[in-house]
Amino acid sequence: MSFQELKLIQPILQAVAEAGYSNPTAIQQHAIPHILKGEDVLGCAQTGTGKTAAFAIPILQRLSAVTPLKRSIRTLILTPTRELALQIEDSFKAYGKHLRLKSCSIFGGVPQGKQVSNIRNGVDVLIATPGRLLDLMGQGLLSLKDVEIFVLDEADRMLDMGFISDIKKILPQLPRKRQTLFFSATMPSDIKAFAGTMQQNPVEVAVTPVSTTADTVSQSVYFVEKKGKTGLLVSLLKEGNIKRSLVFTRTKHGADKLVKQLAKNGLHSAAIHGNKSQAARQKALSEFKDSRIRVLVATDIAARGIDIDELPHVVNYELPNVAETYVHRIGRTGRAGFGGIAVSFCDTEEMSDLKSIQKLIGFKVPVAGNLITNPVG
């Protein structure tokens, strides 16, 4: 199927072609027609399969069909992190570059002045993290009364990361008559039930089994004691001739500590997490994308907006205690048709986490090395 067959307007077809896309992905093929019809959609697909374009492209087409007398917020997209908000904003600008529509993102951690100015100048699409949105609404600086389309992106994480109360505060400010779209890489049954309370007869679009990992990612696990993880990581990075590696830790403190340990071993790296300023996070991400640093150490919430097509290597320095998070983590590699490698370190205290992950994904992760006694995987 081609993008032309999805009955997209010429300005969008031109922008999509300029972005280098030739054919829509499966989630785009299945979701775009329903969104163009104005239907509510519950979309589930693996990370890296084009979910953002699956809702951004039809939203832009729907908004462009009507030109209101006064520009106002007609689409609201809620997302969990600053990085992901910026990524979505970039996508809307890329696909809508030949349309007279304006989009902007708002998020905490930076002064609000520029964001407020963008809203006052008029915006059609607002991408927001819940905290900053509620803050500006509380100050009377924006209204959601004209919203026609509401999108909850990374829906499972939004509802699983403590945003439920914020979302419940935002929902009453939205018009009852609206189109509501949920998109996520995983959709546990309890999250799906909650999503259903906010949608009207949603169309379910699931193009791959929930919580599966991409075939383009080669997975392996090392059994290693906690104190031996840094040495193992240093060895892999130095001996593996790896251009770039994204390394996951569970905590902000752990990320900062690991950066210092890597520096002592001659490996320049940077950390991104919630305590870092927006400027510091963007600087680290830019240097990583440009290969000026080989290693980026990240916590899960900070890594949600990392979208790099040619990211060859992901390391789970510490296994996540939520199995679905593993799918999101390794989905950072093996994107856009490129292959990727995902390596996990598992110490004795993490054996139960590994078992949960393997139950979720449906197979045992191959063992690359055993540096501890009597592992149980």
Side-chain angles (χ1 to χ4, degrees), residues 146-204:
D146 296 322
V147 169
E148 302 165 21
I149 306 170
F150 170 54
V151 183
L152 196 64
D153 189 38
E154 300 286 359
D156 58 340
R157 306 313 296 166
M158 288 287 289
L159 301 180
D160 195 39
M161 285 163 44
F163 288 114
I164 291 180
S165 60
D166 286 348
I167 293 170
K168 286 182 176 179
K169 293 175 186 175
I170 293 166
L171 284 172
Q173 307 304 315
L174 296 168
R176 278 192 157 188
K177 185 179 180 182
R178 64 174 190 270
Q179 183 178 20
T180 303
L181 311 174
F182 277 63
F183 278 84
S184 185
T186 63
M187 195 66 66
S189 57
D190 56 337
I191 302 299
K192 181 177 174 182
F194 185 78
T197 65
M198 290 179 265
Q199 294 184 295
Q200 297 292 323
N201 302 315
V203 176
E204 288 191 40

Side-chain angles (χ1 to χ4, degrees), residues 104-107 110-117 119 126 128-143:
C104 79
S105 58
I106 61 173
F107 41 81
V110 296
Q112 69 179 42
K114 185 177 179 182
Q115 297 175 4
V116 172
S117 177
I119 292 170
L126 182 67
T129 55
R132 177 51 61 94
L133 178 64
L134 285 170
D135 187 11
L136 297 187
M137 288 170 62
Q139 297 177 55
L141 297 173
L142 64 84
S143 168

Side-chain angles (χ1 to χ4, degrees), residues 232-247 267 288 291 293-295 311-315 341 343:
L232 176 58
L233 179 60
V234 170
S235 297
L236 290 178
L237 294 174
K238 285 188 173 181
E239 297 170 11
N241 193 29
I242 298 163
K243 285 185 178 180
R244 284 191 303 241
S245 184
L246 175 61
V247 180
L267 290 168
F288 185 61
S291 297
I293 57 172
R294 286 178 56 200
V295 185
L311 174 60
H313 200 248
V314 167
V315 177
I341 296 171
V343 177

Side-chain angles (χ1 to χ4, degrees), residues 319-349:
L319 287 177
N321 51 18
V322 177
E324 285 85 355
T325 300
Y326 176 84
V327 178
H328 285 287
R329 285 184 177 186
I330 73 168
R332 298 299 103 195
T333 188
R335 300 165 75 88
F338 293 97
I341 296 171
V343 177
S344 298
F345 297 171
C346 179
D347 63 41
T348 52
E349 296 176 2

Side-chain angles (χ1 to χ4, degrees), residues 42-262:
L42 182 64
C44 187
Q46 291 170 204
T47 299
T49 55
K51 290 192 299 296
T52 301
F55 63 77
I57 287 172
I59 285 174
L60 288 165
Q61 180 147 322
R62 293 203 68 208
L63 295 182
S64 68
V66 178
T67 303
L69 295 175
K70 184 180 179 181
R71 193 185 299 273
S72 62
I73 299 169
R74 298 167 63 198
T75 293
L76 171 67
I77 301 164
L78 287 184
T79 191
T81 69
R82 295 177 278 188
E83 286 79 12
L84 194 52
L86 288 167
Q87 177 189 320
I88 295 170
E89 181 185 9
D90 288 343
S91 295
F92 269 89
K93 287 181 176 177
Y95 308 138
K97 63 190 295 186
H98 302 300
L99 299 171
R100 294 183 177 180
L101 295 169
K102 290 187 178 181
S103 60
C104 79
S105 58
I106 61 173
F107 41 81
V110 296
Q112 69 179 42
K114 185 177 179 182
Q115 297 175 4
V116 172
S117 177
N118 287 336
I119 292 170
R120 284 176 173 165
N121 289 334
V123 60
D124 302 283
V125 178
L126 182 67
I127 305 108
T129 55
R132 177 51 61 94
L133 178 64
L134 285 170
D135 187 11
L136 297 187
M137 288 170 62
Q139 297 177 55
L141 297 173
L142 64 84
S143 168
L144 303 179
K145 64 181 179 64
D146 296 322
V147 169
E148 302 165 21
I149 306 170
F150 170 54
V151 183
L152 196 64
D153 189 38
E154 300 286 359
D156 58 340
R157 306 313 296 166
M158 288 287 289
L159 301 180
D160 195 39
M161 285 163 44
F163 288 114
I164 291 180
S165 60
D166 286 348
I167 293 170
K168 286 182 176 179
K169 293 175 186 175
I170 293 166
L171 284 172
Q173 307 304 315
L174 296 168
R176 278 192 157 188
K177 185 179 180 182
R178 64 174 190 270
Q179 183 178 20
T180 303
L181 311 174
F182 277 63
F183 278 84
S184 185
T186 63
M187 195 66 66
S189 57
D190 56 337
I191 302 299
K192 181 177 174 182
F194 185 78
T197 65
M198 290 179 265
Q199 294 184 295
Q200 297 292 323
N201 302 315
V203 176
E204 288 191 40
V205 178
V207 299
T208 55
V210 174
S211 301
T212 59
T213 52
D215 293 336
T216 52
V217 181
S218 172
Q219 303 172 57
S220 62
V221 61
Y222 284 87
F223 293 109
V224 55
E225 293 292 4
K226 188 176 294 186
K227 62 183 180 181
K229 287 187 176 184
T230 301
L232 176 58
L233 179 60
V234 170
S235 297
L236 290 178
L237 294 174
K238 285 188 173 181
E239 297 170 11
N241 193 29
I242 298 163
K243 285 185 178 180
R244 284 191 303 241
S245 184
L246 175 61
V247 180
F248 286 99
T249 61
R250 284 189 181 183
T251 66
K252 304 165 190 174
H253 172 72
D256 289 334
K257 182 179 178 182
L258 183 56
V259 167
K260 292 176 182 177
Q261 291 173 325
L262 291 175

